[in-house]
Amino acid sequence: AQSVTQPDIHITVSEGASLELRCNYSYGATPYLFWYVQSPGQGLQLLLKYFSGDTLVQGIKGFEAEFKRSLSSFNLRKASVHWSDAAEYFCAVGAGGSYIPTFGRGTSLIVHP
Amino acid sequence: NAGVTQTPKFQVLKTGQSMTLQCAQDMNHNSMYWYRQDPGMGLRLIYYSASEGTTDKGEVPNGYNVSRLNKREFSLRLESAAPSQTSVYFCASRDRDSNQPQHFGDGTRLSIL
């Protein structure tokens, strides 16, 4: 069975600092990987996705993520965080066929001015 | 373009009352999903419908029923609400025939007293 671990429940950064949110997955084959962002009171919005090909994927809002098969990781990065990036971030792994994605428990990003 | 629309946005019920949460998508997607989100638990799948006319249980189906009314609509019913079902409920849809992520509604915030 597939699983996703987001080791950090909360991350606090200063505005303008760089950011890395960790995601580790467990799946037997090459997975489909996603990062979503959830602002307070809103639904989930897709930031980026990885299916195959280039292991460094670019997303919206200046985010990027790198797929590392050897580490079973798909960490999310941003070079310079803005106050509006404060939100909950979810990593998800999906598989082919019936495609029932599994979500991590989320990482809450707090941005200090 | 509305995407995924959930109604109502907020609801308060008494224990034992019944309620149907509505979800509709206008993207001609085949697959639809119902999740619940609780603090620190991420998103947990309640039921899903891979295509019109089919429904299957997810991780936490007890106490819920679903109906895939047509390709656009997927409803979630609580027959006898319990305080443990206090949660935020999200509906999502996806085009099953392509490697695309899910699209989420803005959620229904349900409190059961």
Side-chain angles (χ1 to χ4, degrees), chain A residues 15-102:
Chain A
E15 191 169 16
S18 63
L19 170 70
E20 182 169 28
L21 302 182
R22 295 183 290 166
C23 173
N24 294 98
Y25 68 90
S26 173
Y27 182 63
T30 300
Y32 304 148
L33 295 161
F34 308 90
W35 274 101
Y36 289 88
V37 60
Q38 183 183 31
S39 298
Q42 302 294 315
L44 277 70
Q45 179 186 18
L46 180 73
L47 283 175
L48 48 77
K49 60 188 179 186
Y50 172 79
F51 289 137
S52 64
D54 193 345
T55 57
L56 183 64
V57 294
Q58 303 297 320
I60 62 171
K61 305 185 180 185
F63 286 93
E64 66 177 27
E66 186 171 12
F67 170 57
K68 293 185 177 180
R69 184 189 303 276
S70 62
L71 298 178
S72 297
S73 70
F74 189 56
N75 293 350
L76 182 71
R77 301 193 294 247
K78 187 170 185 178
S80 178
V81 171
H82 187 263
W83 64 266
S84 60
D85 292 325
E88 190 87 13
Y89 291 80
F90 291 95
C91 181
V93 58
S98 63
Y99 182 84
I100 306 297
T102 299

Side-chain angles (χ1 to χ4, degrees), chain B residues 2-83:
Chain B
V4 179
T5 302
Q6 293 184 235
T7 55
K9 295 189 184 302
F10 302 93
Q11 186 70 48
V12 178
L13 295 178
K14 295 181 179 179
T15 298
Q17 287 185 316
S18 62
M19 166 116 195
T20 299
L21 280 60
Q22 306 287 351
C23 174
Q25 53 91 9
D26 61 2
M27 295 170 283
N28 201 36
H29 287 168
N30 291 308
S31 301
M32 298 186 74
Y33 309 78
W34 275 106
Y35 292 90
R36 60 178 290 173
Q37 183 180 29
D38 302 292
M41 299 296 292
L43 275 75
R44 292 184 291 170
L45 184 65
I46 305 172
Y47 271 93
Y48 68 99
S49 171
S51 61
E52 186 178 356
T54 69
T55 61
D56 288 284
K57 295 178 180 179
E59 180 185 356
V60 288
N62 292 344
Y64 304 95
N65 286 300
V66 291
S67 295
R68 184 73 183 266
L69 305 171
N70 47 55
K71 192 171 186 179
R72 289 186 65 248
E73 298 172 288
F74 188 38
S75 63
L76 178 71
R77 183 162 179 84
L78 287 70
E79 290 290 352
S80 179

